[in-house]
Amino acid sequence: MLRPFRRSRSGVAAIVAMTVAVLGLLGPGPSSAPAVGAPSRAAVGPTPTYVPLAVPQRALDTRANSATDDGRFAATGRLSAGRIQLMTIAGRFGIPNSAEAVTINLTVTGPAADGWAVIWPCGTAQPSTSNINFGVNRDAANAAVVRVGTAGALCLVSSVNADFVIDVSGYFPAGSSLQTLGAPVRVLDTRVGSATDDHWYEGIGRRLAATPLSLNLAGRLGVPPDAGAVLITITVVEAASGGYATVWPCTTTQPSTSNINFGTDRAVANGVTMSLSPSGTICVRTSVEVQVIVDVTGYFPAGVYAGLERPQRLMDTRAGAATDDGRFQRGGVVGAQERSVQIAGRLGVPANASVVVLNVTVVGPQAGGWLVAYPCGTPRPATSTLNYRAGDVVANSVITRVGTGGAVCLYAEGSTDVIVDAMGVLVSN
């Protein structure tokens, strides 16, 4: 259930980039004595853009008998509708108290009814928008960048009774190049009767299949004219059939990749970090007729986020599929055995890239399960990147450190075909 048309956003403050996906089983809980990963600390200038943790860490799990990687905020109990769950994140897992924002993966599991949830910095007003939408007993996951609130805490609320899991993968230090907006701003809402924050691109009607929309972002609603890249949440609603949506800088060729996959008449969202075209635009194209909503949550100045000229397909295990350089294609399903995919030094990704932004999609799982993406050469983390049911098509945005040999590793419980697309590179310390 998509949250109703937005109320006034006065006083709202949050920075979230989310992915909503249909899920199955959650990934495993951590061992009884997990090793806490320390951030990579090789210096690159006085203030790094982003600091990844060595491996993602489980920071909250409300489920009974669950565990987290430092023992805090574990088995806190099913979150009841309307009750705010506070979770301290600063000062844990090597994240300093001064951190500006954190990257997380949020999962909702076993919701009692159709509903929504929102996460925001504690100490600010609860946003009047939803960041994740889900159906009864249909789990969902989000990749998110969330500004750290008062006392280093994040706040979470759900419209219905549900359990939640939060995994953290890194942080943006104070003084980094990430610029968070005071509140997410709505820049596109095609639904008739809807509103955007500056009344541009509102109520323009359902997007027709295969019809690109050029969306101006630079110079709007706190995004400066010279911004180099934006963090957005794209949501699709009321799809005429199952399909996908693609986002790219308008002056480049449309990529053969997707940023979000969805089913018929279901609300699905995904977080996207995307370079702007020289004229300050991004393009949005859907494969089927659908309503589209876009919110901007933050931006990077020019020259900070190294977005690829267009997204590139690095891996596609499906029979008959192709990648953009012919490597890591048609390799067969990923299962309960580590599978690596070369990231660095391919298709515009620099050979010395240390942190990359990927879009990972599972297609046609043979059974319900979960998949995790992590730096090769590190222990497989006790977290999940994607969760799914048999036959699903589910995507999630992933910010991950590149591992040994410039590769990222995949592991799945519930064999599935996997697609990996590269979006860009973040500077880390």
Side-chain angles (χ1 to χ4, degrees):
M1 178 179 68
L2 189 72
R3 201 165 180 183
F5 293 145
R6 300 179 320 142
R7 305 184 297 274
S8 167
R9 301 181 61 88
S10 176
V12 175
I15 167 70
V16 186
M18 295 298 214
T19 299
V20 178
V22 179
L23 308 180
L25 304 173
L26 284 176
S31 63
S32 58
V36 177
S40 172
R41 304 297 298 180
V44 178
T47 305
T49 295
Y50 178 71
V51 182
L53 303 186
V55 292
Q57 300 290 318
R58 184 143 293 176
L60 176 140
D61 194 332
T62 67
R63 297 174 295 173
N65 302 316
S66 65
T68 61
D69 278 299
D70 63 357
R72 302 179 63 188
F73 298 96
T76 55
R78 191 169 171 84
L79 189 61
S80 57
R83 180 172 69 86
I84 295 175
Q85 172 72 57
L86 180 148
M87 184 197 72
T88 301
I89 193 64
R92 301 172 64 191
F93 312 119
I95 299 170
N97 292 327
S98 60
E100 171 73 17
V102 290
T103 53
I104 66 169
N105 201 61
L106 182 145
T107 302
V108 55
T109 179
D114 293 355
W116 50 264
V118 60
I119 188 168
W120 74 99
C122 292
T124 64
Q126 178 182 325
S128 59
T129 57
S130 58
N131 298 111
I132 179 170
N133 299 270
F134 44 83
V136 57
N137 289 322
R138 297 288 297 188
D139 301 347
N142 321 281
V145 179
V146 190
R147 187 160 58 86
V148 177
T150 301
L154 310 180
C155 282
L156 171 71
V157 72
S158 173
S159 66
V160 302
N161 296 349
D163 278 304
F164 288 88
V165 178
I166 294 178
D167 301 321
V168 60
S169 55
Y171 66 92
F172 291 87
S176 74
S177 299
L178 170 70
Q179 302 297 310
T180 62
L181 301 182
V185 292
R186 184 144 294 176
V187 294
L188 169 71
D189 195 333
T190 64
R191 297 175 295 174
V192 175
S194 66
T196 61
D197 280 293
D198 59 2
H199 303 296
W200 290 23
Y201 300 94
E202 64 184 18
I204 60 178
R206 295 168 67 88
R207 297 305 304 162
L208 299 178
T211 306
L213 171 67
S214 176
L215 182 61
N216 286 291
L217 294 180
R220 290 180 64 192
L221 297 167
V223 179
D226 60 350
V230 289
L231 281 71
I232 67 170
T233 302
I234 179 170
T235 305
V236 296
V237 190
E238 302 169 9
S241 62
Y244 63 89
T246 302
V247 182
W248 74 99
C250 285
T251 53
T252 63
T253 304
Q254 179 188 325
S256 57
T257 58
S258 61
N259 297 94
I260 186 171
N261 300 78
F262 48 84
T264 304
D265 200 28
R266 295 225 312 267
V268 181
N270 197 0
V272 178
T273 303
M274 182 59 59
S275 295
L276 294 174
S277 74
S279 60
T281 61
I282 61 172
C283 277
V284 180
R285 178 189 181 275
T286 63
S287 64
V288 301
E289 185 177 328
V290 69
Q291 304 277 18
V292 181
I293 301 163
V294 174
D295 299 320
V296 176
T297 57
Y299 66 90
F300 290 108
V304 173
Y305 170 70
L308 302 184
E309 182 178 354
R310 65 188 185 97
Q312 298 286 338
R313 182 140 294 173
L314 300 180
M315 180 182 195
D316 194 333
T317 66
R318 296 174 296 175
T323 61
D324 281 299
D325 62 359
R327 302 175 63 191
F328 296 91
Q329 62 186 25
R330 309 171 194 173
V333 297
V334 174
Q337 184 174 359
E338 185 175 88
R339 178 88 64 88
S340 68
V341 54
Q342 182 70 29
I343 303 294
R346 292 179 63 197
L347 295 167
V349 179
N352 62 350
S354 59
V355 179
V356 292
V357 181
L358 307 174
N359 204 65
V360 179
T361 306
V362 299
V363 182
Q366 298 171 8
W370 50 266
L371 178 141
V372 60
Y374 55 99
C376 290
T378 65
R380 175 163 53 89
T383 59
S384 58
T385 302
L386 283 166
N387 303 74
Y388 44 82
R389 295 181 180 183
D392 276 346
V393 179
V394 182
N396 200 357
S397 178
V398 179
I399 299 177
T400 180
R401 189 165 58 85
V402 178
T404 301
V408 168
C409 281
L410 307 171
Y411 180 96
E413 284 289 345
S415 296
T416 181
D417 278 307
V418 180
I419 301 168
V420 178
D421 299 323
M423 312 302 293
V425 178
L426 277 174
V427 177
S428 64
N429 71 335

